[in-house]
Amino acid sequence: MKLKTLLLGACSALMFAGLASAETLTIATVNNGDMVRMQKLTDDFKAKNPGIDLQWVTLEENVLRQKVTTDIATKAGQYDVLTIGTYEVPIWSKLGWLASLDKLSADKNYDVDDLLPAIRSGLTTDGKLYAAPFYGESSMVMYRKDLFDKAGLKMPDAPTWDFIADAARKITDKDHEVYGICLRGKAGWGENMAFLTAMSNSFGARWFDEKWKAQFDQPEWKDTLDFYVKLMKDAGPPGASSNGFNENLALFQSGKCGMWIDATVAASFVSDPKESKVADKVGFALAPDKGLGKRGNWLWAWNLAIPASSKKTEAAEKFISWATSKEYTNLVAQKEGWLNAPPGTRTSLYANADYQKAAPFAKMTLDSINSADPTHPTVKPVPYVGVQFVAIPEFQGIGTAVGQQFSAALAGQISVDQALKAAQQLTTREMTKAGYPK
């Protein structure tokens, strides 16, 4: 009995020791398709890391940004792994809010040099990597080839905005709920303003001149917003001012959009016959231009990072290594097909013959990413970095406030002129309050 009791006691002690040593990572992420897929595949991570449990906080894009920003700024420590964008990484790393991913950079198996230079550079501060890209993207035109054929139109590889507008109006059939074009209208610095800022670059507009003076009172912004609002009124879906990425994705997949200009990452979703009714009818083209030397495409990555306040840095880094590795890409390909491999992060993916065969959009995606230049985003000189955002801490608040004005103009609640006047006033007020020019 004594031996049996001792053995049971030893087993119990080992069991409790194992439980005590287990760590639970709380991961904040966005509710898009690639991130949802990652959650479904985490049994692979758990099998390789039995001492680590995962708890997910999955949020809509605007809500995620608000909660994560509040948490890290106040050092609340609610999350161990953050899903953040290219905008936040350089700002937060300089503020000391993020842990550097030194072990990842030194891991030969991870192969940090395989990351696309355009994406990696936006995640690096003073030579150190502070976030790892889960997927990278630019933006491009996705369109219905059958509707273009029916209208006698041929999409150029590099269309102009005038061609896009003309084609959108021609393929619109509102009686059958087919709308020529779907564009973001939901207010948010990363929603409608991501699209409109990139679009405005191609129209010659800019957020600020070289002295940080707001530019919404200039004709280039008037041209941009007039063009956008009129196009959406003529050829867009009803309720467009409430539509962001996910809403437009659903419209396109259900056959209600003739064209959609948005993130290149959406290409796999609209091409997947399991998810899209028009999967076999989709074509791709570069984002449009206005003949001024800039296209309306952005540069972005959704990345995984560790807040400096986390006490579970080692476990968090293991998870990030797994989720952003070449092995994870192969796991997705094995389970879901090469079409669904996370795009836009690794050179090796675009050299992979299986991926090239499965993803007709691969070259267009890579060309779009490589053509975006965050250091020279506009036609005229600017004092800031960022294609679809301005890489200053104040931009989140200002960008969302401007986005609300532009969304209201799209909804017909105010005029374009009123929206631009309000944008100029609020941007000037907030930048003055923040002490610009610095």
Side-chain angles (χ1 to χ4, degrees), residues 76-377:
Q78 186 177 351
Y79 311 116
D80 301 299
V81 177
L82 310 173
T83 303
I84 59 176
T86 307
Y87 164 74
E88 291 94 349
V89 177
I91 297 172
W92 291 4
S93 61
K94 288 177 182 176
L95 290 169
W97 291 357
L98 300 176
S100 65
L101 302 180
D102 295 332
K103 290 182 181 178
L104 217 62
S105 299
D107 186 350
K108 291 182 179 179
N109 291 326
Y110 183 78
D111 192 7
V112 73
D113 291 330
D114 186 47
L115 299 177
L116 289 171
I119 299 295
R120 180 182 173 185
S121 64
L123 311 178
T124 303
T125 301
D126 297 330
K128 289 188 174 184
L129 193 70
Y130 281 89
F134 183 72
Y135 70 76
E137 65 181 43
S138 184
S139 53
M140 64 183 178
V141 183
M142 293 161 276
Y143 68 96
R144 289 270 301 279
K145 292 185 287 186
D146 58 324
L147 296 182
F148 269 65
D149 290 343
K150 184 179 178 181
L153 297 168
K154 181 175 175 56
M155 175 69 79
D157 285 341
T160 64
W161 281 111
D162 289 339
F163 174 86
I164 292 293
D166 180 63
R169 291 180 170 100
K170 286 180 177 176
I171 63 177
T172 295
D173 184 358
K174 293 184 180 181
D175 290 340
H176 293 90
E177 293 188 289
V178 175
Y179 305 97
I181 194 161
C182 292
L183 302 173
R184 296 188 188 194
K186 180 188 289 186
W189 72 266
E191 278 282 10
N192 66 336
M193 290 315 299
F195 173 79
L196 283 168
T197 300
M199 179 182 180
S200 75
N201 292 339
S202 64
F203 274 66
R206 50 187 176 167
W207 269 80
F208 303 102
D209 68 11
E210 293 160 285
K211 296 182 179 179
W212 291 100
K213 183 179 183 295
Q215 296 293 288
F216 293 105
D217 58 355
Q218 297 301 301
E220 293 88 353
W221 265 110
K222 166 79 169 166
D223 291 345
T224 302
L225 204 57
D226 269 338
F227 186 96
Y228 165 79
V229 170
K230 289 175 182 175
L231 176 58
M232 293 299 286
K233 182 179 179 180
D234 292 346
S241 61
S242 299
N243 292 344
F245 174 86
N246 285 330
E247 292 82 5
N248 284 328
L249 171 61
L251 285 169
F252 194 95
Q253 288 178 323
S254 64
K256 293 185 177 182
C257 293
M259 285 183 286
W260 180 29
I261 303 173
D262 212 297
T264 53
V265 72
S268 66
F269 302 134
V270 299
S271 302
D272 187 346
K274 296 177 185 176
E275 300 181 18
S276 174
K277 291 181 179 179
V278 296
D280 61 341
K281 301 177 177 67
V282 184
F284 305 94
L286 293 173
D289 71 2
K290 197 69 175 166
L292 301 177
K294 289 289 179 183
R295 295 202 163 272
N297 61 301
W298 63 63
L299 183 66
W300 185 256
W302 276 117
N303 315 285
L304 300 178
I306 306 170
S309 58
S310 175
K311 295 178 173 61
K312 303 171 185 176
T313 303
E314 187 174 344
E317 198 160 75
K318 286 180 181 179
F319 176 78
I320 291 175
S321 177
W322 172 82
T324 63
S325 65
K326 287 185 278 188
E327 287 73 23
Y328 176 80
T329 300
N330 291 331
L331 176 66
V332 174
Q334 176 190 337
K335 300 286 187 180
E336 306 280 347
W338 277 106
L339 180 70
N340 294 306
T345 64
R346 289 187 172 273
T347 302
S348 56
L349 179 66
Y350 293 91
N352 186 303
D354 292 330
Y355 182 67
Q356 291 173 5
K357 183 179 179 181
F361 48 81
K363 185 179 186 303
M364 194 67 69
T365 296
L366 188 61
D367 289 346
S368 298
I369 288 172
N370 287 336
S371 69
D373 185 356
T375 58
H376 300 91

Side-chain angles (χ1 to χ4, degrees), residues 352-407:
N352 186 303
D354 292 330
Y355 182 67
Q356 291 173 5
K357 183 179 179 181
F361 48 81
K363 185 179 186 303
M364 194 67 69
T365 296
L366 188 61
D367 289 346
S368 298
I369 288 172
N370 287 336
S371 69
D373 185 356
T375 58
H376 300 91
T378 64
V379 176
K380 297 177 182 177
V382 292
Y384 54 85
V385 172
V387 180
Q388 79 279 26
F389 58 82
V390 178
I392 56 174
E394 297 78 13
F395 183 74
Q396 285 194 74
I398 295 172
T400 296
V402 171
Q404 289 166 349
Q405 297 298 322
F406 290 178
S407 186

Side-chain angles (χ1 to χ4, degrees), residues 52-88:
I52 304 175
D53 291 327
L54 306 176
Q55 179 178 323
W56 297 91
V57 179
T58 306
L59 302 165
E60 187 270 332
E61 187 170 322
N62 284 341
V63 178
L64 173 79
R65 289 189 169 111
Q66 292 167 3
K67 287 188 176 294
V68 165
T69 301
T70 300
D71 185 79
I72 199 166
T74 59
K75 299 181 181 178
Q78 186 177 351
Y79 311 116
D80 301 299
V81 177
L82 310 173
T83 303
I84 59 176
T86 307
Y87 164 74
E88 291 94 349

